[in-house]
Amino acid sequence: MIMPSKHINFSQSLLGFGSYLLSKLDKPMSIDDIWKIYQADISKEYYIAKHSFDNLIMTFIFLYGINAIDQKNGLIYKCN
């Protein structure tokens, strides 16, 4: 599920969800803020793949593992 495959398109994969989340991290945000932005984008159909909150957490763990994000004082920010 991390990588897209024959039966999982890019937006359904954690890699695709991670790229979406990185695009939303233009400033440090809490997980709740990002979840609210994602829910709003889903309701407006700006993002087509539905993910659970667990997938959000797994995607942040993945992004943290590849040093794409970091956290400080409960806020997540994008690494340069």
Side-chain angles (χ1 to χ4, degrees):
M1 179 150 175
I2 290 177
M3 301 288 291
S5 67
K6 183 177 179 180
H7 301 287
I8 298 174
N9 65 32
F10 187 69
S11 63
Q12 293 171 325
S13 69
L14 295 186
L15 185 64
F17 194 37
S19 69
Y20 164 79
L21 294 174
L22 285 176
S23 72
K24 299 299 178 184
L25 276 174
D26 52 350
K27 61 181 182 180
M29 291 188 228
S30 69
I31 288 179
D32 290 337
D33 292 338
I34 296 170
W35 181 248
K36 288 176 188 172
I37 290 171
Y38 169 69
Q39 292 293 318
D41 284 352
I42 282 290
S43 66
K44 295 175 187 171
E45 297 181 354
Y46 293 156
Y47 192 75
I48 56 172
K50 292 187 178 181
H51 289 274
S52 65
F53 190 78
D54 291 341
N55 278 357
L56 179 81
I57 300 300
M58 285 192 297
T59 303
F60 277 132
I61 291 170
F62 169 70
L63 293 173
Y64 182 79
I66 62 171
N67 292 325
I69 62 168
D70 204 352
Q71 72 85 29
K72 186 173 185 179
N73 298 327
L75 298 177
I76 298 170
Y77 61 92
K78 191 175 357 179
C79 294
N80 294 328

